[in-house]
Amino acid sequence: MQIPVARPLFKPPANLDSKLLFYTYANEKYHEFAILYPLFALLSNKDSIVEICISAPDIFVSKYTHLIKYYVTTFPGRLLYSYICNTNIFPNSIRFLVKPVSRAEYIYIGDVDIIV
């Protein structure tokens, strides 16, 4: 079995380094949480960054373009959505197996439906 590699959904910000990275995964069933999760993580942790690996990126972007633009302007350089192609790995395991694009001294790997 080959482990999938995350790819940035958009051009990554120039500075993806931070002290703390919140990293999680959301399949299509959890896309609505993937658009809310960054707000709470970024507001409550001023020096952190967030990366969310998602499935079905076309569906996610078409549904949430306006909110993605909000995050880009409100939290510049602090949020990255990445994606993976279809995989046979159990969705709950993906966040532990796929290496994030972003870098940080500490990584918090959590559930996308648990608001920080």
Side-chain angles (χ1 to χ4, degrees):
M1 173 176 65
Q2 187 175 11
I3 302 298
V5 176
R7 296 179 184 95
L9 190 57
F10 303 104
K11 182 180 176 188
N15 181 14
L16 281 175
D17 295 325
S18 181
K19 192 86 164 164
L20 174 61
L21 165 63
F22 288 91
Y23 183 63
T24 190
Y25 170 78
N27 61 15
E28 192 175 347
K29 179 179 171 184
Y30 288 89
H31 279 181
E32 61 191 18
F33 293 104
I35 203 64
L36 289 174
Y37 186 93
L39 182 63
F40 295 95
L42 295 172
L43 283 175
S44 63
N45 298 276
K46 300 293 183 197
D47 295 327
S48 67
I49 57 176
V50 172
E51 181 176 340
I52 301 177
C53 187
I54 59 170
S55 67
D58 295 338
I59 294 169
F60 183 79
V61 171
S62 67
K63 188 171 183 179
Y64 297 113
T65 298
H66 62 294
L67 292 172
I68 294 169
K69 287 179 182 178
Y70 167 79
Y71 286 134
V72 168
T73 57
T74 306
F75 304 104
R78 295 184 59 204
L79 173 63
L80 178 67
Y81 284 104
S82 57
Y83 70 97
I84 57 167
C85 297
N86 292 336
T87 179
N88 292 330
I89 298 173
F90 187 64
N92 285 349
S93 301
I94 289 175
R95 64 183 178 233
F96 300 104
L97 298 174
V98 175
K99 186 177 178 180
V101 176
S102 308
R103 298 288 170 253
E105 188 173 341
Y106 301 101
I107 300 176
Y108 174 85
I109 301 173
D111 294 343
V112 74
D113 60 341
I114 303 296
I115 301 301
V116 176

